[in-house]
Amino acid sequence: MMTTTPNSKVLILGIDGMDPGLTRRFLLEQKLPNIQRYLDQGAARTDLAMLGGVPTITPPMWTTLSTGATPATHGI
């Protein structure tokens, strides 16, 4: 587990439209070794389940990811 400091940097890797079912299949077939490394380091839910808001379209969801606010709050 990594330790964070006040000067720690965070990288958020977002792949818009990445299907979790297809991703699971490719991971099992060992076709996504770099994504597997991110998962092994605890960078995502292990079941790849998506926790989303409504509507599930790109602009509101990226805004929700970056702000932590729901579409009803941020208005996008």
Side-chain angles (χ1 to χ4, degrees), residues 2-39:
M2 295 178 56
T3 305
T4 59
T5 66
N7 296 321
S8 293
K9 296 185 177 165
V10 174
L11 170 69
I12 296 176
L13 174 65
I15 304 172
D16 201 358
M18 187 172 188
D19 179 88
L22 190 57
T23 302
R24 264 188 238 97
R25 185 177 114 207
F26 287 158
L27 287 167
L28 290 171
E29 294 173 4
Q30 300 179 350
K31 293 181 178 178
L32 300 173
N34 294 321
I35 299 294
Q36 185 63 58
R37 270 193 292 176
Y38 281 115
L39 295 172

Side-chain angles (χ1 to χ4, degrees), residues 60-76:
M61 291 303 93
W62 283 110
T63 306
T64 296
L65 175 68
S66 62
T67 65
T70 64
T73 302
H74 59 62
I76 303 292

Side-chain angles (χ1 to χ4, degrees), residues 31-56:
K31 293 181 178 178
L32 300 173
N34 294 321
I35 299 294
Q36 185 63 58
R37 270 193 292 176
Y38 281 115
L39 295 172
D40 291 344
Q41 294 175 19
R45 292 174 54 108
T46 54
D47 61 3
L48 299 178
M50 293 187 292
L51 303 173
V54 175
T56 55

